[in-house]
Amino acid sequence: MKQNFKKSIYMKLKNKLYAISPIDGRYSNQVNEIREIFSEYALFKYRIKVEILWLEKLSTIPEIKEIPNLNKKTKTKLYNIIKNFNIKNAKKIKKIENITNHDIKALEYFLKKEISKINELKKNIEFIHFACTSDDINNLAYALMLKKAKKNIFIPYWNKIIQKIKKLAKKYIKTALLTYTHGQVASTSTIGKEMTNFIYRMERQKYQLKNIKILGKMNGTVGNYNAHLAAYPNINWNKISKEFVNSLKITWNPYTTQIEPHDYISELLTCIIRFNIININLVSDIWRYISIKFFIQKYKKEEVGSSIMPYKINPIDFENAESNLKLSNSIMQHLSINLPISRWQRDLRDSTLLRNIGLSFAYSIIAYKKIIKGISTLKINKKYIKKKINENWQILTEAIQTTMRSYKIKKPYEKLKKITRGKKITKKQIKKIINKLSIPQKKRNKLKKITPENYIGNAINLTKNMEKYINKLKNK
């Protein structure tokens, strides 16, 4: 009975419909690229890579005569442990961990058994994990994971989103858009310029993310090389540590306690949070434009918008993206605030937190995919936007009163406020106001040529010059 119960639970766990988290259930196929980097299996693989490369580094130090110089054949055998690591190996480590109750020690025992199969090294297996504390391995494993996620996941997805918005901006560079401040109609802009606002904001975060350095350390129990120097006092361990960390294409952190303090992870996470906030702003704006019929969504005939209202085409991609971005940000904010704090030289809270980085990233990736998909479904309702713009001639009072100021007419704002505030002003009334102005006829004629639709200021040129200003970000 007990065995059947366990089997039943196992079968349920294999079925995605029984997953507690939608990351491992409903959305599991959307986050495979995150799973390849941040699953426990992937963490094992990165840890093994660090352990083996550290052993290789030790073999190059002349003062450590106990380890033989590794020839090409021996190195290949070592690298094959990394290359051939599979789920069966990961299960072996988990089985050892059930006994040791310590994940890194379990990994060390697994590696010792594997390396003992290499004749040239079987007498030197005690140099596996030599002078290392757990975080010497963990911090570098996570650094490698974050480096890969930054380069292979975040930058590419951010570029895809930015390119999608750029396409909209360029396609609708001259398409006028009625704007709203405080939810009330304001001056006219263009769709191109309003999209460019988001593009520039996102590009800034992208270049900041690129410039965040991934840090790492390899310096022992409290960061002082105590054990290293006890065993080999004549070695410049500071130099060895820097060389090793840099060999992983990670920036060396010379000052740590037992753990790398995670300040750079906090910097990285808060940068992603800012990018996500910008996208929350974007999708909520698009949602509103859809709700007032400025934007229309393409749809598939087979899809359903509502279980009861047949006519509905809901902006679900943008709603889904907003919720997933907020979930992601909530987790990342907690991580960014708490990861840099450790009691005295070490406590274990960061271990639990670090294991949830992948979860926070998964929610972001789901959102990014929804944003890309959602933008692809958008069409611009040009005729309707034009109609709404031309129903709001009162927006030209801004141009009129500002021109009056340039001619030193007293209280221009107050005069126009008296006759227009809270009222629906027509084209005829605007012409009448202009005709009464004590300004040169030439200027009156110019004002008369302004319409709500062409009152877009420098919007077109600002959109055209977008790349010039983005390129300046690269050089900062």
Side-chain angles (χ1 to χ4, degrees), residues 172-179 187-191 193-194 389 395-396 398 450-463:
Y172 300 104
I173 190 170
K174 295 181 180 179
T175 306
L177 179 72
L178 186 62
T179 69
S187 304
T188 315
S189 184
T190 63
I191 290 172
K193 167 56 172 47
E194 295 314 299
I389 289 172
I395 64 177
L396 298 186
E398 177 192 49
I450 301 174
T451 68
E453 193 173 358
N454 68 24
Y455 183 52
I456 59 173
N458 203 30
I460 292 172
N461 283 331
L462 285 166
T463 307

Side-chain angles (χ1 to χ4, degrees), residues 134-149:
S134 296
D135 201 64
D136 286 321
I137 308 305
N138 271 336
N139 90 93
L140 293 173
Y142 277 107
L144 290 169
M145 293 157 76
L146 289 165
K147 183 161 74 84
K148 188 170 183 180

Side-chain angles (χ1 to χ4, degrees), residues 189-275:
S189 184
T190 63
I191 290 172
K193 167 56 172 47
E194 295 314 299
M195 292 300 110
T196 299
N197 293 340
F198 287 109
I199 293 163
Y200 187 76
R201 292 171 69 189
M202 291 183 195
E203 290 279 10
R204 280 190 70 247
Q205 297 311 315
K206 186 180 80 177
Y207 290 116
Q208 286 183 37
L209 184 69
K210 282 183 174 180
N211 290 325
I212 291 171
K213 292 180 179 178
I214 307 293
L215 303 184
K217 73 103 180 181
M218 176 61 85
N219 53 17
T221 308
V222 291
N224 300 337
Y225 309 99
N226 302 42
H228 305 66
L229 290 166
Y232 294 98
N234 298 321
I235 294 175
N236 185 346
W237 287 107
N238 214 52
K239 180 173 176 286
I240 296 296
S241 172
K242 184 178 181 181
E243 287 174 355
F244 179 65
V245 172
N246 290 164
S247 73
L248 302 173
K249 292 183 170 56
I250 294 166
T251 301
W252 180 59
N253 187 346
Y255 292 101
T256 77
T257 58
Q258 185 176 108
I259 63 170
E260 200 291 320
H262 312 315
D263 296 338
Y264 85 87
I265 301 179
S266 182
E267 292 163 14
L268 187 144
L269 293 175
T270 52
C271 184
I272 297 170
I273 287 169
R274 288 194 300 274
F275 184 87

Side-chain angles (χ1 to χ4, degrees), residues 86-324:
N86 56 36
I87 197 70
K88 189 177 178 181
N89 298 143
K91 287 178 178 178
K92 286 179 182 178
I93 296 170
K94 289 301 290 182
K95 193 173 181 180
I96 300 167
E97 187 185 341
N98 288 336
I99 300 165
T100 62
N101 197 30
H102 196 287
D103 51 357
I104 292 291
K105 207 65 186 173
L107 188 94
E108 179 190 337
Y109 291 158
F110 166 80
L111 272 176
K112 282 179 174 179
K113 191 172 182 180
E114 292 299 308
I115 291 172
S116 66
K117 298 172 187 176
I118 302 172
N119 288 330
E120 308 93 288
L121 290 173
K122 63 183 179 182
K123 292 180 181 178
N124 306 103
I125 59 169
E126 291 307 327
F127 281 92
I128 291 291
H129 203 68
F130 179 80
C132 291
T133 188
S134 296
D135 201 64
D136 286 321
I137 308 305
N138 271 336
N139 90 93
L140 293 173
Y142 277 107
L144 290 169
M145 293 157 76
L146 289 165
K147 183 161 74 84
K148 188 170 183 180
K150 176 181 159 181
K151 182 183 175 183
N152 294 0
I153 295 180
F154 283 97
I155 298 299
Y157 269 111
W158 290 11
N159 278 330
K160 284 178 186 177
I161 292 170
I162 290 166
Q163 288 307 315
K164 280 286 181 184
I165 308 168
K166 277 186 181 178
K167 194 174 178 181
L168 271 182
K170 289 173 182 177
K171 186 175 181 180
Y172 300 104
I173 190 170
K174 295 181 180 179
T175 306
L177 179 72
L178 186 62
T179 69
Y180 295 82
T181 58
H182 308 282
Q184 311 299 310
V185 293
S187 304
T188 315
S189 184
T190 63
I191 290 172
K193 167 56 172 47
E194 295 314 299
M195 292 300 110
T196 299
N197 293 340
F198 287 109
I199 293 163
Y200 187 76
R201 292 171 69 189
M202 291 183 195
E203 290 279 10
R204 280 190 70 247
Q205 297 311 315
K206 186 180 80 177
Y207 290 116
Q208 286 183 37
L209 184 69
K210 282 183 174 180
N211 290 325
I212 291 171
K213 292 180 179 178
I214 307 293
L215 303 184
K217 73 103 180 181
M218 176 61 85
N219 53 17
T221 308
V222 291
N224 300 337
Y225 309 99
N226 302 42
H228 305 66
L229 290 166
Y232 294 98
N234 298 321
I235 294 175
N236 185 346
W237 287 107
N238 214 52
K239 180 173 176 286
I240 296 296
S241 172
K242 184 178 181 181
E243 287 174 355
F244 179 65
V245 172
N246 290 164
S247 73
L248 302 173
K249 292 183 170 56
I250 294 166
T251 301
W252 180 59
N253 187 346
Y255 292 101
T256 77
T257 58
Q258 185 176 108
I259 63 170
E260 200 291 320
H262 312 315
D263 296 338
Y264 85 87
I265 301 179
S266 182
E267 292 163 14
L268 187 144
L269 293 175
T270 52
C271 184
I272 297 170
I273 287 169
R274 288 194 300 274
F275 184 87
N276 287 356
I277 288 169
I278 295 164
N279 276 273
I280 291 167
N281 195 171
L282 171 72
V283 298
S284 61
D285 273 11
I286 291 174
W287 188 95
R288 288 179 177 91
Y289 286 133
I290 291 168
S291 74
I292 60 173
K293 300 177 184 176
F294 281 11
F295 292 0
I296 304 169
Q297 297 174 99
K298 301 170 192 173
Y299 63 92
K300 294 179 181 177
K301 289 181 181 179
E302 300 81 10
E303 290 181 349
V304 173
S306 165
S307 63
I308 193 168
M309 293 171 275
Y311 60 89
K312 293 286 286 292
I313 307 169
N314 294 328
I316 55 173
D317 288 324
F318 300 108
E319 293 168 340
N320 183 293
E322 184 176 351
S323 290
N324 279 296

